[in-house]
Amino acid sequence: MREIKVIGIGGIGCALVPFLARYLNYRGGRARITLMDGDEFERGNADRQAFGTAGNKAKVKAAEMAREFQGLSFRAVPEYITEENITQYIGDGDTIFLAVDNHKSRKLVSDYCEKLEAVTLISGGNDYTDGNVQIHMREGGRDRTAPITRFHSEIQNPQDRSPAEMSCEELMERGAPQLLFANLAVASAMLNAFYSLCEGKLAYGEVYLDIVEGKSNPVKREGESKR
Amino acid sequence: MTEPLKQAPRVRPESPAHTRETVRIIYGVHSLEVNIAGRSVGEVRTQLSQALNIGPRAIAVVDGREVMESTILQGGEVLEFVRMSGEKGAGR
């Protein structure tokens, strides 16, 4: 069974999951999708995020998807990814969609993925009108594309904190303004990369996009052979 | 764009006849091909930093390898100043 993990069910994750589930449901084959997020959906987030009810984002979205796509298996993990739980939720052979809002969590997941024999990590992030998607593939204990920390010092040496490290007050106050369409563009680029991978046609390791300029730019990110 | 690079002859990226003489420069969604072979990475960064809004911490990569500012560019190479990743995507 294909194991897919979606970490972060916010602006990007919320846009990504229904299309990912629809694609997998009708593509055939067995898949289990694990949705992971410690955050609660509140009505105030409804400008960018679609949830039918208030509650933990992973639980609410997993329940919605399970009702709609009965050919797939869904699991909700109502926790943020941390050093303590990462070994429990990420394993060899996983495909991970990383849609978090901080570099600390990106580094945590990336560093762990580098220890695995085989993994596919598709990480997306955006600012207000632009963003990027990085794809780290490992096969047979070797990097086929570069880890997401390589060339990106902001992820290698993150200056921010993960939500698991924040107080309730800090969690309430965090968050720069975001644009729904930037979230959607990044989610779409993550799914485009996944599709290309499934078809054996992925030709880049990172793609940049800007929704105002109407541009995207894929770049190669070689793995170990270039080290 | 600064004067020296404005004056450098631009070519269309799809023109294969020029690829051995020019350097392709990438920063985020921006990509241009310029006759700047023989110049250093640091020189190009200085000249393009304002035009492309290149971040001061952006790592320079030539043909997939991280390079120093003193590296001299050869025709046909691809120089990328790696744009910082978007940070958000979840949030509240």
Side-chain angles (χ1 to χ4, degrees):
Chain A
M1 179 183 288
R2 182 192 283 264
E3 285 284 350
I4 293 181
K5 313 289 167 64
V6 184
I7 302 174
I9 315 297
I12 292 174
C14 205
L16 180 149
V17 167
F19 287 94
L20 173 67
R22 185 172 295 279
Y23 175 72
L24 292 170
N25 193 62
Y26 294 103
R27 185 175 188 259
R30 298 170 64 217
R32 179 168 73 163
I33 303 177
T34 298
L35 308 185
M36 186 170 191
D37 200 319
D39 199 11
E40 299 286 311
F41 172 70
E42 295 159 5
R43 294 290 174 194
N45 308 142
D47 59 338
R48 288 186 302 109
Q49 300 172 24
F51 292 90
T53 59
N56 173 265
K57 291 177 177 178
K59 283 185 172 178
V60 172
K61 189 55 70 181
E64 289 174 2
M65 293 297 101
R67 279 195 296 274
E68 188 165 1
F69 302 109
Q70 296 179 1
L72 301 172
S73 168
F74 291 90
R75 176 175 65 154
V77 177
E79 301 171 34
Y80 295 113
I81 193 81
T82 65
E83 284 182 35
E84 289 71 35
N85 66 22
I86 194 166
T87 55
Q88 194 179 338
Y89 296 121
I90 294 179
D92 256 316
D94 283 357
T95 298
I96 303 158
F97 290 89
L98 188 57
V100 296
D101 64 354
N102 65 94
H103 293 323
K104 187 81 179 283
S105 298
R106 291 187 180 99
K107 177 173 170 56
L108 172 69
V109 174
S110 179
D111 287 352
Y112 187 70
C113 285
E114 286 194 65
K115 298 173 188 167
L116 299 175
E117 274 291 299
V119 71
T120 299
L121 173 62
I122 302 174
S123 175
N126 60 266
D127 293 315
Y128 195 65
T129 59
D130 58 12
N132 69 324
V133 172
Q134 298 172 261
I135 303 104
H136 175 209
M137 285 186 294
R138 277 179 72 78
E139 290 173 357
R142 296 176 64 87
D143 291 324
R144 310 300 295 182
T145 59
I148 67 171
T149 52
R150 196 161 152 217
F151 306 131
H152 283 277
S153 59
E154 73 280 7
I155 301 177
Q156 179 64 39
N157 304 296
Q159 301 299 306
D160 54 15
R161 288 184 297 163
S162 79
E165 298 169 325
M166 295 181 186
S167 67
C168 291
E169 289 76 19
E170 288 173 313
L171 285 170
M172 291 296 286
E173 289 170 4
R174 78 190 165 124
Q178 287 193 67
L179 184 64
L180 170 68
F181 306 132
N183 291 158
L184 182 60
V186 171
S188 181
M190 292 171 79
L191 291 169
N192 294 345
F194 177 64
Y195 168 76
S196 301
L197 269 168
C198 291
E199 297 294 314
K201 295 177 180 174
L202 188 76
Y204 54 88
E206 182 163 4
V207 61
Y208 294 94
L209 53 97
D210 187 310
I211 65 170
V212 172
E213 297 208 26
K215 287 182 179 174
S216 67
N217 192 18
V219 292
K220 291 193 173 181
R221 293 276 182 254
E222 301 287 348
E224 289 177 350
S225 59
K226 285 273 185 180
R227 280 186 175 174
Chain B
M1 191 177 295
T2 54
E3 281 307 313
L5 279 172
K6 269 185 182 172
Q7 290 160 9
R10 295 245 207 133
V11 296
R12 290 185 300 174
E14 67 271 22
S15 174
H18 291 83
T19 54
R20 288 186 184 160
E21 301 160 15
T22 60
V23 176
R24 186 176 175 218
I25 301 169
I26 296 171
Y27 182 64
V29 295
H30 302 291
S31 177
L32 62 157
E33 200 142 338
V34 192
N35 283 337
I36 51 163
R39 297 194 193 189
S40 73
V41 168
E43 193 180 0
V44 175
R45 184 196 292 270
T46 301
Q47 292 182 342
L48 283 179
S49 61
Q50 208 168 0
L52 296 183
N53 198 23
I54 297 171
R57 290 167 58 201
I59 290 169
V61 174
V62 172
D63 289 346
R65 294 171 191 268
E66 188 174 343
V67 295
M68 298 174 66
E69 298 293 289
S70 58
T71 300
I72 301 298
L73 296 161
Q74 310 292 320
E77 288 181 330
V78 177
L79 165 63
E80 180 187 358
F81 294 105
V82 180
R83 196 182 194 285
M84 286 174 65
S85 291
E87 186 171 12
K88 301 300 179 184
R92 302 177 69 84

